[in-house]
Amino acid sequence: MTPKQFLRQLRKIAANIEVLQEELTRLRSRLESTTVQLSADRVQTSQTGDRFADAIADLADKELYYMDMVEEYERLRQRIVDLILGMDNPIHVQVLYGRYVKGRSLSAIANELAYSYDRIKHVHGEALQAFDEKYLRRES
């Protein structure tokens, strides 16, 4: 795994969490709009009741999956932050943290740090190489 692939895992999980949030909102809306009709003469069960129960079960499953994914994100985020903070060069720390934890573009990082884009692009490459040498090659 390359340093970029390793560090981008965080962004991928965050995107999955966002999609799951939208799905949970959609499922909750569907449940709120679903009603089971009861009357004195006739009780409708089977299909409407089954669909409602299925929708509740689906929502519960997705909520558990969502919570697991959020926990995984937090664990990975903390691990990545700890690794980045362990880098020897402070500018490498700033660039890697800004890019992979905060999700900023290299252009935005260059503006924040008052460097040229080309310089930050070069530093980014150096930082990824240093990250690889310090952490990833060791694990192989």
Side-chain angles (χ1 to χ4, degrees), residues 32-50:
E32 288 171 1
S33 66
T34 303
T35 59
V36 178
Q37 304 248 334
L38 300 174
S39 69
D41 297 334
R42 187 176 92 187
V43 176
Q44 284 188 343
T45 55
S46 70
Q47 277 196 330
T48 303
D50 289 348

Side-chain angles (χ1 to χ4, degrees), residues 83 86 88 130-140:
L83 292 174
D88 299 324
F131 188 91
D132 188 35
E133 290 169 4
K134 184 165 186 153
Y135 298 117
L136 300 181
R137 289 191 187 165
R138 215 184 274 179
E139 291 178 4
S140 302

Side-chain angles (χ1 to χ4, degrees), residues 3 87 123-134 137:
M87 299 290 294
V123 169
H124 177 251
E126 289 177 342
L128 288 173
Q129 186 174 358
F131 188 91
D132 188 35
E133 290 169 4
K134 184 165 186 153
R137 289 191 187 165

Side-chain angles (χ1 to χ4, degrees), residues 7-30:
L7 294 167
R8 283 184 177 163
Q9 293 177 93
L10 202 56
R11 188 182 315 166
K12 182 181 178 190
I13 294 173
N16 289 343
I17 287 171
E18 189 175 319
V19 168
L20 269 174
Q21 284 174 328
E22 290 176 18
E23 278 298 297
L24 287 170
T25 300
R26 184 188 63 77
L27 285 171
R28 285 186 192 109
S29 294
R30 194 174 95 201

Side-chain angles (χ1 to χ4, degrees), residues 45-81:
T45 55
S46 70
Q47 277 196 330
T48 303
D50 289 348
R51 285 195 312 254
F52 190 70
D54 289 347
I56 289 174
D58 193 28
L59 177 63
D61 289 345
K62 279 195 174 39
E63 283 180 337
L64 287 174
Y65 183 60
Y66 172 80
M67 290 187 308
D68 288 345
M69 194 170 287
V70 169
E71 286 178 20
E72 178 185 350
Y73 173 85
E74 288 301 325
R75 279 192 303 272
L76 181 61
R77 184 184 186 282
Q78 192 56 57
R79 180 171 181 228
I80 287 174
V81 167

